[in-house]
Amino acid sequence: MSQEQLVTSLSPSDPAEPSRRNGILTRPWIRLAVAVAVTVGYGVVAGWLTPRGPLTEVEAVATVAISLLVGAASGVLMRSRWAVPFTPVLFLVSFELVRAGAEGPTVDGIQLNSIYGIVAFITGRGLHGLLVLIPMMFGAVLGAALERRRDQRKGQDPSVSTFRRVRTVLLRGLTALTGVFVLLLGFLVALPGTTGAILADDGTQLPGSVAEFASVDVEDHQLNLMIRGRSDTNPVLLFLAGGPGGTELGAMRNHGTALEEDFVVATLDQRGTGKSMDQFEPASTLTLENAMSDALAVTEYLRQRFGQDRIYLVGQSWGSTLGVLLADREPQLYQAFVGIGQMVSQRATDIIFYEDALEWARSTGDVGLEATLEENGPPPYTDIRAYEPAIGTEQLVHPYDHTPNAEGSGQNSEGLFVEEYSNVEKIRNLGATLDVFSVLYPQLQEIDFREQVTSLDIPVYLAQGRYEAPGRADLALEWYGMLSAPSKELRVFETSGHRAIWEQPTEFHQLMVEVLEDTSG
């Protein structure tokens, strides 16, 4: 062997070779320990910062990118395809241990024996797993392949079998497709929600109109709302969604645009919901008192921004509960209150729903539902999933014809995919509803307006659907009869149920025009 050949044979094949031969990372157990530390560290930090997984576009993109890098680092360090299953499993264990104290169906024990449980799993662990596991495994494949390629760069046998060559080509093709999927995934979760401008007849933005997302700081939380109206000098209408945990940006965009003619419509996403989804933590701050404080802070923001002493307060379902509490506490802030699908006592309503569902199950021979209801007993429940057979069967127990209405039988699910929501929000909205409901709903069990709020100092209007379920309608009628107010009116919407504002939007808009005429003087 010549001197030149000897030097060549001893020379490293790439710049990293000396560190691998002489550095501390040449020891396999140390490399494994570093891979474990990196992965566990990522799981701990993710579990601490985002216990529910990514809830915003920034968090989602960061999750994809960091997962890819952690997987690649693990593959490089382990120099083996074993990094592909090892890294995700290690991450999941550390992540779940750190977030073990988080509250809500999307983060607690997996239960796939109910619709609520399946929704919680898909929107919680399902989405998070997609954003973490596939990029992480893809990164591990790339990292391990890079190290093997470096190790095999010298002394390769040119006589490789055709089978191995075909397998290599197929594996590389699969890896490339996975890479494309990861890139597409990152792109899709990065897309933000938008709300279109209000246009004049010539297609340009209408002068003086407002169409935007706004945020209001309340202590350590940031609440988001959609504000839309054809003139920023029109009266302001603050809309409070139901749930608790619901978001109605989609319903407002699909069926509420007529209101923008006469009002500046501010649709609030309450703490933990919709565009305020990432404001859930800590769960201890999700209280009835804070829900009221949040809405009052938003009210003050709207009053100051649009220069109005009083604004109109509109609430649907749980939003009508919150609306009554606000009108009772701070009547000087509001011109009038409009309750849609008015709630009076959550506990009393749920008991009626339970009794109606049990009677229906027995009369129809649904022995499974009957057994479940009897086993659960009447509400309230500590496990939020127990409410599903009692109140989730409303459309079966009290059906009505949805076809004459703007909003069909899909109800609030029909508004989940409007452009106002980011792709992350579209997927996570239902799970967020379950999480907020599980924390806040038990705090509403002592509310009963028949005992606690029998007078209000502002005009009150109730928009009730003819087909509203008796568990809500009967109590609303009873409370309305007891209520003392400067003026009050009960308007029945002939083809609607619980969501008259969107089932019959033309008629609801007409009601609001009348409210404006009655109270603006």
Side-chain angles (χ1 to χ4, degrees):
M1 177 182 295
S2 68
Q3 184 177 2
E4 182 179 351
Q5 290 173 322
L6 178 61
V7 171
T8 302
S9 66
L10 295 178
S11 298
S13 58
D14 60 71
E17 192 68 23
S19 64
R20 293 208 302 270
R21 290 185 176 182
N22 303 318
I24 192 172
L25 291 182
T26 56
R27 300 176 183 179
W29 66 272
I30 292 180
R31 296 172 70 95
L32 178 61
V34 173
V36 169
V38 169
T39 306
V40 169
Y42 176 38
V44 169
V45 171
W48 176 52
L49 293 178
T50 57
R52 293 171 202 284
L55 300 175
T56 66
E57 305 93 275
V58 172
E59 290 176 357
V61 172
T63 296
V64 172
I66 296 173
S67 299
L68 179 63
L69 293 175
V70 168
S74 182
V76 167
L77 290 165
M78 294 181 64
R79 299 184 182 179
S80 168
R81 287 196 180 98
W82 281 106
V84 177
F86 173 80
T87 308
V89 169
L90 194 60
F91 169 84
L92 289 176
V93 171
S94 57
F95 177 81
E96 291 288 352
L97 288 175
V98 170
R99 75 162 185 182
E103 299 181 47
T106 66
V107 296
D108 59 19
I110 298 174
Q111 297 185 33
L112 302 179
N113 57 348
S114 68
I115 298 298
Y116 286 7
I118 293 171
V119 168
F121 177 78
I122 292 174
T123 60
R125 287 180 170 90
L127 176 63
H128 192 201
L130 182 68
L131 298 178
V132 169
L133 302 186
I134 293 181
M136 187 175 285
M137 290 188 291
F138 175 64
V141 169
L142 290 182
L146 176 63
E147 284 300 290
R148 288 196 308 274
R149 184 176 181 84
R150 286 176 174 175
D151 289 340
Q152 296 172 359
R153 190 172 296 171
K154 286 185 61 66
Q156 290 182 338
D157 182 4
S159 59
V160 179
S161 68
T162 302
F163 171 76
R164 291 185 62 185
R165 288 175 177 166
V166 171
R167 186 186 67 175
T168 299
V169 170
L170 291 176
L171 288 175
R172 288 177 178 173
L174 180 60
T175 302
L177 288 175
T178 306
V180 171
F181 176 79
V182 170
L183 289 173
L184 180 61
L185 183 64
F187 171 76
L188 290 176
V189 298
L191 295 176
T194 60
T195 190
I198 296 176
L199 304 179
D201 293 338
D202 60 2
T204 61
Q205 182 174 342
L206 182 67
S209 65
V210 56
E212 64 181 49
F213 298 124
S215 62
V216 179
D217 292 329
V218 183
E219 296 180 350
D220 295 329
H221 290 78
Q222 190 176 67
L223 304 177
N224 294 287
L225 58 160
M226 179 179 70
I227 304 177
R228 295 182 58 86
R230 293 184 66 84
S231 172
D232 58 10
T233 62
N234 278 341
V236 174
L237 183 159
L238 173 59
F239 176 77
L240 304 173
T247 173
E248 299 289 6
L249 303 188
M252 274 297 189
R253 292 297 290 123
N254 287 339
H255 308 297
T257 54
L259 293 171
E260 299 169 8
E261 298 283 341
D262 303 284
F263 295 90
V264 174
V265 182
T267 305
L268 173 63
D269 271 342
Q270 300 167 49
R271 191 180 303 205
T273 71
K275 292 193 169 299
S276 304
M277 195 183 305
D278 60 331
Q279 303 301 303
F280 185 101
E281 306 296 348
S284 60
T285 67
L286 198 65
T287 65
L288 177 59
E289 182 59 35
N290 280 342
M292 296 177 64
S293 298
D294 290 348
L296 288 172
V298 171
T299 296
E300 191 61 31
Y301 165 82
L302 293 170
R303 291 174 64 237
Q304 291 185 9
R305 174 174 172 181
F306 294 99
Q308 299 184 17
D309 291 335
R310 293 170 177 256
I311 67 174
Y312 289 85
L313 185 61
V314 178
Q316 194 266 336
S317 196
W318 143 248
S320 71
T321 298
L322 183 56
V324 169
L325 294 174
L326 295 174
D328 182 48
R329 176 176 293 190
E330 302 289 351
Q332 75 280 2
L333 302 180
Y334 303 106
Q335 196 76 22
F337 167 69
V338 181
I340 308 151
Q342 181 67 50
M343 296 297 297
V344 174
S345 166
Q346 273 78 5
R347 183 172 189 153
T349 290
D350 292 342
I351 291 173
I352 295 172
F353 267 68
Y354 171 85
E355 293 171 346
D356 288 350
L358 184 58
E359 180 182 351
W360 180 84
R362 288 169 176 167
S363 65
T364 60
D366 192 333
V367 294
L369 177 60
E370 179 183 358
T372 299
L373 290 169
E374 289 178 340
E375 180 181 354
N376 290 342
Y381 305 117
T382 54
D383 184 351
I384 213 68
R385 283 167 285 247
Y387 280 100
E388 183 180 340
I391 66 177
T393 53
E394 176 186 351
Q395 297 297 325
L396 296 175
V397 179
H398 302 291
Y400 63 96
D401 183 8
H402 292 78
T403 56
N405 299 324
E407 187 176 62
S409 58
Q411 301 284 285
N412 59 337
S413 64
E414 296 181 11
L416 292 178
F417 300 105
V418 297
E419 66 177 4
E420 275 68 20
Y421 295 124
S422 71
N423 288 325
V424 174
E425 291 160 354
K426 289 173 183 176
I427 297 173
R428 301 216 62 155
N429 273 336
L430 291 178
T433 298
L434 293 175
D435 281 346
V436 173
F437 191 92
S438 69
V439 176
L440 192 52
Y441 200 69
Q443 302 176 45
L444 312 182
Q445 298 306 306
E446 301 306 316
I447 293 175
D448 192 331
F449 293 150
R450 296 170 297 180
E451 300 174 0
Q452 297 157 352
V453 184
T454 56
S455 67
L456 289 172
D457 293 333
I458 60 175
V460 175
Y461 298 80
L462 297 189
Q464 294 292 104
R466 174 73 66 187
Y467 297 101
E468 175 66 278
R472 289 185 288 256
D474 292 349
L475 299 185
L477 287 173
E478 183 181 352
W479 177 66
Y480 178 80
M482 302 168 61
L483 181 66
S484 172
S487 63
K488 63 180 184 179
E489 181 179 342
L490 174 65
R491 183 70 59 88
V492 176
F493 289 72
E494 293 298 331
T495 64
S496 296
H498 190 47
R499 296 165 62 83
I501 180 175
W502 302 297
E503 291 188 88
Q504 294 181 254
T506 302
E507 291 81 354
F508 184 81
H509 174 234
Q510 180 58 42
L511 170 63
M512 291 307 303
V513 170
E514 294 174 20
V515 170
L516 193 57
E517 293 172 350
D518 292 344
T519 60
S520 59

